[in-house]
């Protein structure tokens, strides 16, 4: 944990950001396959530009989820986000689907057979992180950045803010003293808007959402409160900038407060450890902090394609642990089966729960009754405390 005074910044983007539109479509396709067969294999990427969406990738699943259904899924996702603009409209956009069957070479390595357990879908490293800066056990800068945009999106959807359009970005810079956030240094919000909106109106609209989302007394100085600093922002979304799946991985995770393994989450079924192992690492880290065993916990997992067990498990508490970190590593290995199959079964990931993860982060949400965000549960707390004599 760093000592002294410093500033730290994280950003978020809204569901209408071009890259997030693509994440939403890709995850909606994953959900479509898992709805018909929970053991479908899906790796689908999306590109979006002016009134055009292109899907590409490989799948192994029920034939009912064909190109026509994937097109319907894409249109429904764009409609739900709220795009009904001349340059990007859920009904008018062209949708092209270039999705083929999964390579048998990948399937051989991943599938269980005989005495061989299901292997990881790829090699790679995944990180999970938790800290006690917020009730969600997330770093405060990304937590507040998400909250501001979620508040604005809710108001846009319910009609109370008709001047707002779907595309938006936020950025929050916090002041820290000895590793503890103590206030806001600056806030930046850029939001797409209608032709009728003035800069003064937008500034006051955004001010209301920012003030509601930050702790009392944390509004930045007026000269450090930036709303649409470049001015007009009418043309936005994929009409203004091309979008791609998987380009907002730091927004998806911890806002730069913790490492990222490099693999995106969206568009991938849970046999892909880029997604499922990152969820497992967050789950374990969050339970460690929730149990009071550390104020911060970073977990790294690594895998080899076709191999079921993790190659390594690494735990870092940045000097905040109340217990022996080396023992903590062994306890975490014992407390949860970290094979791809073990993760999926423990967190019940073979369900259509992924479209909701495509915006405002994959972490820090309350678990849903239907199993969504199951990796945010803190049901290992008592087991962890017991392992350390608590």
């Amino acid at each position: 944990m760093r000592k002294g005074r410093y500033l730290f910044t994280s950003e978020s983007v809204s569901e209408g950001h071009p890259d997030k539109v693509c994440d939403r479509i890709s995850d909606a396709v994953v959900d479509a396959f898992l709805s018909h067969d929970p053991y479908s294999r899906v790796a689908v990427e999306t590109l979006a530009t002016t009134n055009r969406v292109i899907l590409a990738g490989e799948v192994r699943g029920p034939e009912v989820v064909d190109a026509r259904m994937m097109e319907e899924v894409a249109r429904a996702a764009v409609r739900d986000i709220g795009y009904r603009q001349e340059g990007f409209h859920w009904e008018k956009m062209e949708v092209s689907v270039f999705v083929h069957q999964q390579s048998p070479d990948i399937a051989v390595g991943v599938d269980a057979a005989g005495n061989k357990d299901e292997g990881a879908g790829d090699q790679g490293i995944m990180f999970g992180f938790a800290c006690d800066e917020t009730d969600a056990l997330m770093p405060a800068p990304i937590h507040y950045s998400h909250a501001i945009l979620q508040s604005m999106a809710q108001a846009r959807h319910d009609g109370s803010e008709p001047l707002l359009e779907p595309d938006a970005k936020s950025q929050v810079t916090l002041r820290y003293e000895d590793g503890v956030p103590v206030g806001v240094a600056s806030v930046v919000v850029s939001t797409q808007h209608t032709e009728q909106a003035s800069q003064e109106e937008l500034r006051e609209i955004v001010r209301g959402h920012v003030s509601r989302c930050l702790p009392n007394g944390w509004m930045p100085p007026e000269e450090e409160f930036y709303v649409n600093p470049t001015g007009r922002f009418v043309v936005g979304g994929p009409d203004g900038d091309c979008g791609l799946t998987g380009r907002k991985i730091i927004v998806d995770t911890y806002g730069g407060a913790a490492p990222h393994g490099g693999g995106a989450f969206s568009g991938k079924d849970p046999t892909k450890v880029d997604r499922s192992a990152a969820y497992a690492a967050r789950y374990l880290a969050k339970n460690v902090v929730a149990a009071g065993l550390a104020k911060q916990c970073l977990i790294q997992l690594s895998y080899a394609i076709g191999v079921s067990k993790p190659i390594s498990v690494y735990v870092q508490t940045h000097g905040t642990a109340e217990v022996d970190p080396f023992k903590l590593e062994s306890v975490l290995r014992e407390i949860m089966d970290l094979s791809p199959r073990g993760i999926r079964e423990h967190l019940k990931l073979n369900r259509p729960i992924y479209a909701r993860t495509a915006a405002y982060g994959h972490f820090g949400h309350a678990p849903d009754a239907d199993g969504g965000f199951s990796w945010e549960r803190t049901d290992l707390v008592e087991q962890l405390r017991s392992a350390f004599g608590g």
Side-chain angles (χ1 to χ4, degrees), residues 76-91:
V78 174
R79 181 195 65 216
D80 291 347
I81 291 169
Y83 275 112
R84 295 168 176 82
Q85 300 167 4
E86 185 63 29
F88 197 68
H89 194 295
W90 70 272
E91 283 185 306

Side-chain angles (χ1 to χ4, degrees), residues 240-279:
D241 191 11
C242 181
L244 291 169
T245 299
R247 276 206 305 203
K248 287 293 176 285
I249 57 178
I250 299 303
V251 171
D252 287 342
T253 54
Y254 308 102
H260 192 290
F265 304 154
S266 292
K268 299 175 182 177
D269 74 78
T271 66
K272 277 70 171 177
V273 285
D274 276 344
R275 175 166 230 158
S276 57
Y279 291 173

Side-chain angles (χ1 to χ4, degrees), residues 1 14 26 31 116 153 155 200 231 294 341 350:
M1 183 180 295
S14 72
S26 292
D31 283 353
K116 174 184 173 297
E200 293 74 20
R341 184 203 298 271
N350 286 99

Side-chain angles (χ1 to χ4, degrees), residues 35-347:
S35 294
H36 289 85
D37 178 358
Y39 298 101
S40 296
R41 301 290 170 79
V42 187
V44 171
E45 313 290 341
T46 303
L47 178 149
T49 186
T50 302
N51 269 335
R52 180 181 291 274
V53 166
I54 299 171
L55 279 69
E58 59 278 348
V59 298
R60 189 176 68 188
E63 293 183 359
V64 66
V65 188
D66 57 11
R68 182 172 180 176
M69 180 179 285
M70 283 186 260
E71 177 180 343
E72 292 174 354
V73 164
R75 292 189 188 280
V78 174
R79 181 195 65 216
D80 291 347
I81 291 169
Y83 275 112
R84 295 168 176 82
Q85 300 167 4
E86 185 63 29
F88 197 68
H89 194 295
W90 70 272
E91 283 185 306
K92 299 175 183 177
M93 67 187 191
E94 290 186 41
V95 180
S96 302
V97 179
F98 303 99
V99 175
H100 58 81
Q101 289 295 303
Q102 183 187 66
S103 163
D105 293 344
I106 293 177
V108 166
V110 176
D111 290 348
N115 293 325
K116 174 184 173 297
D117 195 8
E118 177 184 301
D122 201 354
Q123 73 175 50
I125 57 174
M126 298 84 208
F127 290 93
F129 182 70
C131 62
D132 64 358
E133 291 181 10
T134 62
D135 290 343
L137 303 186
M138 287 287 288
I142 189 70
H143 177 78
Y144 296 126
S145 294
H146 286 325
I148 291 165
L149 294 186
Q150 282 184 286
S151 178
M152 291 169 59
Q154 182 177 342
R156 177 174 61 83
H157 283 296
D158 68 23
S160 60
E161 300 287 11
L163 298 181
L164 301 181
E165 295 285 7
D167 195 359
K169 281 186 169 185
S170 64
Q171 184 172 287
V172 175
T173 300
L174 295 190
R175 296 193 309 273
Y176 281 76
E177 294 184 4
D178 292 336
V180 178
V182 296
V184 174
S186 66
V187 172
V188 184
V189 177
S190 295
T191 180
Q192 187 186 13
H193 56 85
T194 65
E195 290 272 7
Q196 296 75 29
S198 69
Q199 283 298 103
E200 293 74 20
E201 287 176 302
L202 289 170
R203 187 176 182 86
E204 293 313 304
I205 288 170
V206 171
R207 186 193 305 278
H209 293 281
V210 172
S211 64
R212 282 193 290 273
C213 293
L214 296 179
N216 288 336
W218 276 32
M219 276 296 288
E222 193 65 18
E223 64 272 16
E224 295 295 335
F225 176 51
Y226 304 93
V227 177
N228 285 18
T230 60
R232 178 183 166 93
F233 186 6
V234 172
V235 177
D239 186 31
D241 191 11
C242 181
L244 291 169
T245 299
R247 276 206 305 203
K248 287 293 176 285
I249 57 178
I250 299 303
V251 171
D252 287 342
T253 54
Y254 308 102
H260 192 290
F265 304 154
S266 292
K268 299 175 182 177
D269 74 78
T271 66
K272 277 70 171 177
V273 285
D274 276 344
R275 175 166 230 158
S276 57
Y279 291 173
R282 161 65 179 175
Y283 173 62
L284 292 177
K286 183 175 182 179
N287 275 271
V288 167
V289 176
L293 304 184
K295 291 182 176 296
Q296 291 186 21
C297 183
L298 173 71
I299 295 176
Q300 183 203 63
L301 305 175
S302 69
Y303 292 84
I305 189 168
V307 179
S308 61
K309 63 180 178 65
I311 302 302
S312 65
V313 178
Y314 168 78
V315 178
Q316 171 63 262
T317 60
H318 302 287
T320 68
E322 300 292 331
V323 297
D324 180 359
F326 295 104
K327 182 179 178 181
L328 184 57
E329 286 182 9
S330 63
V331 167
L332 292 176
R333 280 181 177 269
E334 295 168 3
I335 213 168
M336 184 178 179
D337 178 357
L338 291 170
S339 69
R341 184 203 298 271
I343 292 170
R344 288 191 298 103
E345 291 180 351
H346 188 109
L347 297 177

